[in-house]
Amino acid sequence: MTHITNTLTVQTQSHDYPIFIGASTAVQIDLASPILPFIKGKQVLIVTNTTIAPLYLTDLTKHLVAQGLMVESCVLPDGEQYKNQEYINTIYDVLMKNHFARDCTLIALGGGVIGDMTGFAAASFMRGVNFIQVPTTLLAQVDSSVGGKTGINHPLGKNMIGAFWQPVCVLADMTTFDTLPKREFAAGLAEVVKYALIFDKTFLDWLEVNAAKITARDGAILSELVYRCCDYKAKIVASDERESGVRALLNFGHTFGHVIETHMGYGNWLHGEAVAVGMVQAMMMSQKLGLIGEDEVARVVDLLQIFDLPVKPPYIEPSVALDLMGHDKKVQNGSIRLVLLKELGKAFVTKDFDMAMLTEVLNANH
Amino acid sequence: MTHITNTLTVQTQSHDYPIFIGASTAVQIDLASPILPFIKGKQVLIVTNTTIAPLYLTDLTKHLVAQGLMVESCVLPDGEQYKNQEYINTIYDVLMKNHFARDCTLIALGGGVIGDMTGFAAASFMRGVNFIQVPTTLLAQVDSSVGGKTGINHPLGKNMIGAFWQPVCVLADMTTFDTLPKREFAAGLAEVVKYALIFDKTFLDWLEVNAAKITARDGAILSELVYRCCDYKAKIVASDERESGVRALLNFGHTFGHVIETHMGYGNWLHGEAVAVGMVQAMMMSQKLGLIGEDEVARVVDLLQIFDLPVKPPYIEPSVALDLMGHDKKVQNGSIRLVLLKELGKAFVTKDFDMAMLTEVLNANH
């Protein structure tokens, strides 16, 4: 049995869907029962990867088969480098070879990469089929399972091919964190801290108070944490599904983080690690603009360190970093948009800062 | 200048869009001016094929460039066999190499294949960009430019990968028929007759009265014809965008036609030719069920022949045909759904007929 402690309803343009947050009460994890009512038709494809398959695939398949469902699986290699057309084709091939019809259901069992790929396969197979997310990483639970962004990478750019496609339900089971490596758990916490910094200072207080329980992966606390993060994101997405306005605030720390990820080569720094450092840099910018105090930056740096996250960037030549940020050399100031903090818990987007100041931040702290 | 004689507004779940129907008044065809107000951003990609490019690409590009737009083109080989992932990638590659941004516009200049591929590229590039259709075949104008179906083929099935993605406008210019081969023009007329048979007997009368002008490709009459067909389809699509109910009537003649297309090999029979014969077979079924008279079947057969369309199927062993129709041998009757006619101008979907009767129809008339 899975004990659902929180249910959140996400509103989207196409339909509303629930995120079930809970934990398995038995030794044997049961990822099937909460999602069963959302399976359409008799044909189910579980898409997962070589890391997650040995942990959960057999049990989930067994539970679904016991309900009379015809279950196939597609096990992809684990990693962002496989989030491409070649591997999305392996999903299509399984669907076609097994004569899947339009009333089938695709289940994403894994982290963000599996969610993105399965979602895009569901969006594009027969022009759109039923899709359920079972995110097994903290990052996927608090970030990519809300918002409907799906897609794959193009050799010349990340996430360039995709669709907005909403799941019919999401199951975030805290028990899956038992098998999540420490570094990946920490990377997920970077996005958690981000929500606090851009939306809600009281959540920052809560994270500090509960930091020890969080790093000890206390199920009840994590359940509350995931609920709060999904709630922040769901509210943003509901007001801005196709990403024209306020959703941009979710990029806090990401412009700086992108520089680190790209320059260091994808996979060397985890996305969340780069975002953690990027948030520190964005706070330093905010501090230089007189918006937040040095003590506030220090407070967040402390929390990130408790969460085992890096807070200092690797050395990257500022001119290289500015190029990666898309700086237009013909424009002195105003060619780069940054998400900065007005205060802890309030973010805004601005182009109104001095390039010299940005260069100082890029030069500092490594 | 293009003289727009009719404008039809198509209502969809995502947005309403106009279909402009008209003809160029100058010797030099101008496909740019009606669509200009619908171009978003400064980056435009025209997708076309090797048959259409020499006819219209240079002029359209010149007109758009004259408006200060940055125009790229992607010329695909002509044919259904290229409607696949390999060639959709050539579209993505042009977009990526030329740094297209989310506020770009894709223009489909060609027939149904180009429309389907460009539409799917527009649906999936950066999770969806602006899309304009300039259909240059009768079939594309009366059928595939309304409804938002886009996609490509999978090696194991047609149109298996795709999306519903609506254009922001469609330009149906009658002048483009001047360069359309006779056989393709006739194939388009099969779908035209289909609308009359399933929705509107008065349109059948109109087609008979105007048959000579239609085959002579009289611009004013064709403009009226395209308007009427798009209007029928738009009304169906508005009430059933995701194809759950009444939209199934549009498959009249297609279940029988599919057998011919598949058995004879794609490309040997044009889709419209197979549909013409399929409609005759569906009418023979309707006649055997006592719904329409022999004279009514003969009347439609006459019209199809005036339109240079085939009315007799090639010989296909009935058991092979039934297999291709998806007949389940374990079920005596009721495993195949057919669209039949209650009367001329009224169609319905049924499983309620005797398999022996269907076998007779499949055996007849070749």
Side-chain angles (χ1 to χ4, degrees):
Chain A
M1 266 295 292
T2 302
H3 179 61
I4 303 298
T5 48
N6 288 299
T7 300
L8 182 79
T9 302
V10 181
Q11 295 176 326
T12 77
Q13 280 175 9
S14 57
H15 62 272
D16 295 355
Y17 69 87
I19 301 181
F20 299 119
I21 301 163
S24 290
T25 49
V27 178
Q28 197 77 296
I29 191 165
D30 167 21
L31 298 171
S33 46
I35 66 174
L36 269 175
F38 297 86
I39 290 175
K40 217 176 128 183
K42 286 281 169 208
Q43 298 169 306
V44 176
L45 175 69
I46 304 170
V47 181
T48 188
N49 65 32
T50 47
T51 305
I52 298 299
L55 302 171
Y56 308 117
L57 180 59
T58 309
D59 272 358
L60 178 55
T61 303
K62 201 177 65 187
H63 276 100
L64 298 177
V65 167
Q67 300 296 320
L69 296 165
M70 196 277 272
V71 183
E72 296 291 335
S73 61
C74 179
V75 181
L76 303 174
D78 186 6
E80 176 86 25
Q81 67 269 39
Y82 306 108
K83 195 173 117 175
N84 59 28
Q85 205 137 47
E86 181 184 348
Y87 287 94
I88 202 109
N89 277 338
T90 67
I91 303 177
Y92 294 139
D93 290 348
V94 174
L95 291 166
M96 290 299 298
K97 281 176 187 154
N98 292 285
H99 307 286
F100 270 57
R102 197 176 291 178
D103 64 346
C104 67
T105 296
L106 269 61
I107 299 175
L109 175 68
V113 169
I114 289 297
D116 284 1
M117 293 183 76
T118 312
F120 184 50
S124 55
F125 181 63
M126 299 185 103
R127 302 192 196 93
V129 299
N130 206 37
F131 167 47
I132 291 173
Q133 293 230 49
V134 184
T136 58
T137 66
L138 179 58
L139 182 61
Q141 290 193 3
V142 300
D143 182 32
S144 49
S145 64
V146 185
K149 284 189 185 180
T150 71
I152 53 175
N153 301 329
H154 183 275
L156 299 177
K158 281 186 78 177
N159 296 318
M160 282 295 141
I161 299 158
F164 283 95
W165 195 249
Q166 306 289 348
V168 289
C169 78
V170 175
L171 171 61
D173 189 318
M174 300 305 115
T175 328
T176 60
F177 296 153
D178 295 350
T179 53
L180 188 65
K182 192 171 175 182
R183 203 176 147 197
E184 280 199 50
F185 184 75
L189 288 174
E191 298 282 349
V192 173
V193 173
K194 184 190 77 177
Y195 290 113
L197 295 178
I198 62 179
F199 292 133
D200 189 356
K201 189 176 161 295
T202 68
F203 185 45
L204 186 65
D205 303 337
W206 187 91
L207 289 172
E208 287 171 334
V209 168
N210 294 291
K213 286 185 179 170
I214 291 167
T215 52
R217 306 196 190 182
D218 176 294
I221 285 291
L222 288 179
S223 181
E224 170 77 12
L225 175 148
V226 169
Y227 179 85
R228 283 185 179 228
C229 292
C230 290
D231 192 37
Y232 294 123
K233 186 154 184 193
K235 282 182 179 131
I236 288 291
V237 168
S239 66
D240 187 21
E241 191 168 346
R242 287 192 173 261
E243 208 176 26
S244 40
V246 62
R247 199 160 168 172
L249 300 183
L250 294 169
N251 289 325
F252 180 67
H254 282 61
T255 307
F256 289 101
H258 171 74
V259 170
I260 298 171
E261 268 187 289
T262 312
H263 188 75
M264 304 307 284
Y266 287 105
N268 293 312
W269 279 61
L270 294 180
H271 177 69
E273 293 168 340
V275 167
V277 173
M279 292 193 296
V280 175
Q281 292 176 301
M283 282 190 294
M284 286 169 66
M285 264 312 272
S286 310
Q287 186 196 330
K288 280 185 188 292
L289 287 165
L291 299 165
I292 60 171
E294 195 180 342
D295 52 329
E296 291 177 307
V297 179
R299 177 184 167 186
V300 177
V301 165
D302 283 351
L303 182 63
L304 293 171
Q305 287 182 315
I306 290 169
F307 286 162
D308 282 313
L309 282 162
V311 293
K312 286 174 191 291
Y315 179 72
I316 302 170
E317 173 77 45
S319 65
V320 172
L322 290 175
D323 269 357
L324 289 170
M325 284 177 155
H327 177 50
D328 182 344
K329 289 187 192 65
K330 296 188 293 295
V331 183
Q332 178 57 34
N333 295 319
S335 77
I336 295 177
R337 283 157 56 103
L338 288 177
V339 185
L340 299 178
L341 297 188
K342 267 182 218 159
E343 56 186 82
L344 292 185
K346 285 223 170 74
F348 70 110
V349 179
T350 184
K351 290 182 159 190
D352 189 18
F353 52 82
D354 205 81
M355 286 305 288
M357 190 183 281
L358 177 56
T359 307
E360 266 177 55
V361 167
L362 290 168
N363 244 327
N365 197 35
H366 48 78
Chain B
M1 267 296 293
T2 302
H3 179 61
I4 303 298
T5 48
N6 288 299
T7 300
L8 182 78
T9 302
V10 181
Q11 295 176 327
T12 78
Q13 278 174 11
S14 58
H15 63 270
D16 295 355
Y17 69 86
I19 300 180
F20 300 118
I21 300 163
S24 291
T25 49
V27 178
Q28 198 77 297
I29 192 165
D30 167 21
L31 298 171
S33 45
I35 65 174
L36 269 175
F38 297 86
I39 291 175
K40 215 176 127 185
K42 286 282 170 205
Q43 297 169 307
V44 176
L45 175 69
I46 304 170
V47 181
T48 187
N49 66 32
T50 47
T51 306
I52 298 299
L55 302 171
Y56 307 116
L57 181 59
T58 309
D59 272 358
L60 178 55
T61 303
K62 202 177 67 187
H63 276 101
L64 298 177
V65 168
Q67 299 297 319
L69 296 164
M70 196 276 272
V71 183
E72 296 290 336
S73 61
C74 179
V75 181
L76 302 174
D78 186 6
E80 177 86 24
Q81 66 269 41
Y82 306 108
K83 194 172 117 175
N84 58 28
Q85 205 138 46
E86 179 183 349
Y87 287 94
I88 202 108
N89 277 337
T90 67
I91 304 177
Y92 295 139
D93 289 349
V94 174
L95 291 166
M96 290 300 296
K97 281 178 187 151
N98 292 285
H99 307 286
F100 271 57
R102 195 177 291 177
D103 64 345
C104 67
T105 296
L106 268 61
I107 299 175
L109 174 68
V113 170
I114 289 296
D116 284 1
M117 294 184 75
T118 312
F120 184 51
S124 55
F125 181 63
M126 299 184 103
R127 303 192 196 92
V129 299
N130 206 38
F131 167 46
I132 292 173
Q133 293 231 50
V134 184
T136 59
T137 68
L138 180 57
L139 182 60
Q141 289 192 4
V142 300
D143 182 32
S144 49
S145 65
V146 185
K149 283 190 186 179
T150 71
I152 54 175
N153 301 328
H154 183 274
L156 300 178
K158 280 186 79 175
N159 296 318
M160 283 294 141
I161 300 157
F164 284 95
W165 195 249
Q166 306 289 349
V168 290
C169 77
V170 176
L171 171 61
D173 189 318
M174 300 305 115
T175 328
T176 59
F177 296 154
D178 295 350
T179 54
L180 189 65
K182 192 172 174 180
R183 205 176 146 197
E184 281 199 48
F185 185 76
L189 288 174
E191 299 281 348
V192 172
V193 173
K194 184 189 77 178
Y195 289 112
L197 296 177
I198 62 179
F199 292 132
D200 188 356
K201 188 175 161 296
T202 68
F203 185 44
L204 186 65
D205 303 335
W206 186 90
L207 288 172
E208 289 171 334
V209 169
N210 294 291
K213 285 185 179 171
I214 292 166
T215 52
R217 306 198 191 180
D218 176 295
I221 285 291
L222 288 179
S223 181
E224 171 77 13
L225 176 149
V226 170
Y227 179 86
R228 282 185 179 229
C229 293
C230 289
D231 193 36
Y232 294 123
K233 185 154 183 194
K235 281 181 180 132
I236 287 289
V237 168
S239 67
D240 186 22
E241 190 168 345
R242 286 190 175 263
E243 207 174 26
S244 40
V246 63
R247 200 161 166 170
L249 300 182
L250 294 171
N251 288 326
F252 180 66
H254 283 61
T255 306
F256 290 100
H258 171 74
V259 171
I260 300 172
E261 268 188 290
T262 312
H263 188 75
M264 303 307 284
Y266 287 105
N268 294 314
W269 279 61
L270 294 181
H271 175 70
E273 293 169 340
V275 168
V277 173
M279 293 193 298
V280 174
Q281 291 175 301
M283 282 190 295
M284 285 169 67
M285 264 312 273
S286 310
Q287 186 197 329
K288 281 185 188 291
L289 288 164
L291 300 165
I292 61 172
E294 194 180 342
D295 53 330
E296 291 177 306
V297 180
R299 179 184 165 186
V300 177
V301 166
D302 282 351
L303 183 63
L304 293 171
Q305 288 183 314
I306 290 170
F307 286 161
D308 283 314
L309 282 162
V311 293
K312 286 175 192 290
Y315 179 71
I316 302 170
E317 175 76 45
S319 66
V320 172
L322 290 176
D323 269 357
L324 289 170
M325 283 178 157
H327 176 51
D328 182 345
K329 289 185 191 68
K330 296 187 293 295
V331 183
Q332 177 58 33
N333 295 319
S335 78
I336 294 177
R337 283 156 57 100
L338 288 176
V339 185
L340 299 178
L341 297 187
K342 266 182 219 161
E343 55 186 83
L344 293 186
K346 285 223 171 71
F348 70 110
V349 179
T350 184
K351 290 181 159 191
D352 189 18
F353 51 83
D354 204 80
M355 286 306 288
M357 190 184 281
L358 177 56
T359 307
E360 266 177 53
V361 167
L362 290 168
N363 244 328
N365 197 34
H366 48 78

